[in-house]
Structures are given as C-alpha cells and as structure tokens.
Amino acid sequence: MKNLLIITSFILLSGCMAEREFIVEYDYSYRGKFKRYDTFNFLNLGDTVNYNGLSDSMIKREIERRMISQGYKKSDKPSIYIAYKVFSNDMSFKGYEQLELESWDALYAERAENENNLEYIREAKYTNKAYELKKGTLLIDFVDRKSNGVIWQGYASGLFDDRTYFSKDVRYSVRSILNQYRLLAASYQ
C-alpha cells in the first residue's frame, strides 16, 4: 500500500510539472505611430477560426477585454484594426529580433515619425529570426487604419491541439500574446 501511494504521488507530481513547449513572441513595424492609437475594431475576414470547435467569439471577447483595460475604445473608425487567425498546421514563420516595443516607443518612435530614411536610426534594423510554429498557432495582427500596414503582430504556438483544447487555453493564448503589447492608448498617456 505504501509503495502504491509513493508511485501515485510521483505520477501526480510529474504530471503537474510537465509543461507543454510553446512559443510566444511578437514583432512590430518601426513605422507604427503607437503614441497616436486610441481606438480599435476587428477586421471582418470571414471564418478565421475553424479549429477544433474553437470559438471566434471567445478570442474576440478576450482581445476586446484586454484592449479596453489598456484604455483603447472600440470604434467604427478605429486607429487600429485587429485581425487574428488560428493555424491548424505546423509552419515556418519569419519574425524579427528587435528592441522591446516600450523601449522603441520611448526612445525612437518620435524621431522615426519625422525620418524618411530609418537607416539613420541604428536600432531600426530588422534582424530576421526563424521560428517553427506548431499546429494550433494563434496569430494576432494590429493594422494601422490609415496606412493599411501591420504595425504589430503577436503569436502563440503549441498552446492547444486536438488533445489539449479547453476554453482556458484560448484565453491563455490571447493573454500570453497581448501581454507582449503593453502600450496604453494615446488618451491614457
């Protein structure tokens, strides 16, 4: 009986300590005008979520909660459009190694807005970084409404699959990604 208790305890503890491997990263455009953004809305891209019963509305609700908590207001004419997609296959993905967004925004963003050629800003170099993302990757893009360019994208890979999908994984995925976007709305600054 004592051996059974020890074995059961060991199995339970190792199950608690087992972590899934995942990647949570982001990158951004040096042309983003982050000090000016204060409103958001979602791009309607049709069915962006068709993965294991994953609910579009769950992702939208979690993104909306987060944006509002950072001072952004939902608007019909937003400064940022938000698009997202869940990928059901493994994929190679090109990201970038950059300064933390907050550091860039504080130190160089204003200068970059007034500079036609960003080569004069040494920190404004895009250094490629290759990622191998697993199926179940959630990608969230922020698009500047005026320029129609992606200004920020965050992604989480390997957070859920056919065997481990629960609604908490969706919330955790969105939160993990948006934890990387820590800028407050322009009206909060």
Side-chain angles (χ1 to χ4, degrees), residues 66-148:
R66 182 53 172 266
M67 296 302 286
I68 289 169
S69 76
Q70 289 178 233
Y72 294 87
K73 293 179 175 66
K74 199 166 180 187
S75 169
D76 290 334
K77 290 191 176 182
S79 50
I80 299 173
Y81 280 116
I82 299 174
Y84 56 89
K85 177 142 181 76
V86 175
F87 294 89
S88 57
N89 295 316
D90 292 349
M91 64 180 171
S92 296
F93 192 80
K94 181 174 78 170
Y96 302 99
E97 255 182 61
Q98 300 172 290
L99 284 175
E100 293 291 322
L101 177 57
E102 297 83 5
S103 297
W104 169 262
D105 193 52
L107 300 172
Y108 303 104
E110 194 172 314
R111 184 174 164 198
E113 277 190 42
N114 301 316
E115 193 74 54
N116 289 331
N117 187 351
L118 291 180
E119 289 178 17
Y120 294 113
I121 303 174
R122 182 175 55 86
E123 289 76 7
K125 291 183 181 167
Y126 291 104
T127 305
N128 292 341
K129 188 171 183 179
Y131 294 103
E132 293 300 320
L133 302 181
K134 297 179 180 178
K135 82 181 206 175
T137 292
L138 173 61
L139 173 70
I140 300 174
D141 288 332
F142 289 6
V143 178
D144 183 298
R145 182 177 63 88
K146 290 183 180 176
S147 72
N148 291 318

Side-chain angles (χ1 to χ4, degrees), residues 7-112:
I7 292 170
T8 305
S9 298
F10 179 76
I11 291 171
L12 287 174
L13 283 174
S14 36
C16 292
M17 292 167 44
E19 281 187 34
R20 289 182 278 170
E21 291 183 37
F22 61 91
I23 295 171
V24 178
E25 272 298 335
Y26 76 96
D27 48 65
Y28 59 92
S29 168
Y30 296 122
R31 293 288 184 194
K33 297 176 178 19
F34 296 100
K35 293 185 184 308
R36 297 184 187 182
Y37 302 129
D38 60 357
T39 56
F40 76 98
N41 210 330
F42 295 93
L43 281 176
N44 184 2
L45 300 174
D47 184 12
T48 60
V49 179
N50 187 13
Y51 183 76
N52 195 13
L54 192 60
S55 173
D56 215 33
S57 62
M58 244 196 286
I59 293 173
K60 256 186 185 169
R61 263 195 319 269
E62 199 60 41
I63 292 172
E64 193 169 321
R65 267 190 220 131
R66 182 53 172 266
M67 296 302 286
I68 289 169
S69 76
Q70 289 178 233
Y72 294 87
K73 293 179 175 66
K74 199 166 180 187
S75 169
D76 290 334
K77 290 191 176 182
S79 50
I80 299 173
Y81 280 116
I82 299 174
Y84 56 89
K85 177 142 181 76
V86 175
F87 294 89
S88 57
N89 295 316
D90 292 349
M91 64 180 171
S92 296
F93 192 80
K94 181 174 78 170
Y96 302 99
E97 255 182 61
Q98 300 172 290
L99 284 175
E100 293 291 322
L101 177 57
E102 297 83 5
S103 297
W104 169 262
D105 193 52
L107 300 172
Y108 303 104
E110 194 172 314
R111 184 174 164 198

Side-chain angles (χ1 to χ4, degrees), residues 169-186:
D169 291 324
V170 174
R171 288 192 302 272
Y172 180 74
S173 299
V174 173
R175 288 175 186 166
S176 295
I177 293 167
L178 294 181
N179 281 344
Q180 309 302 308
Y181 186 83
R182 295 180 286 271
L183 299 179
L184 299 175

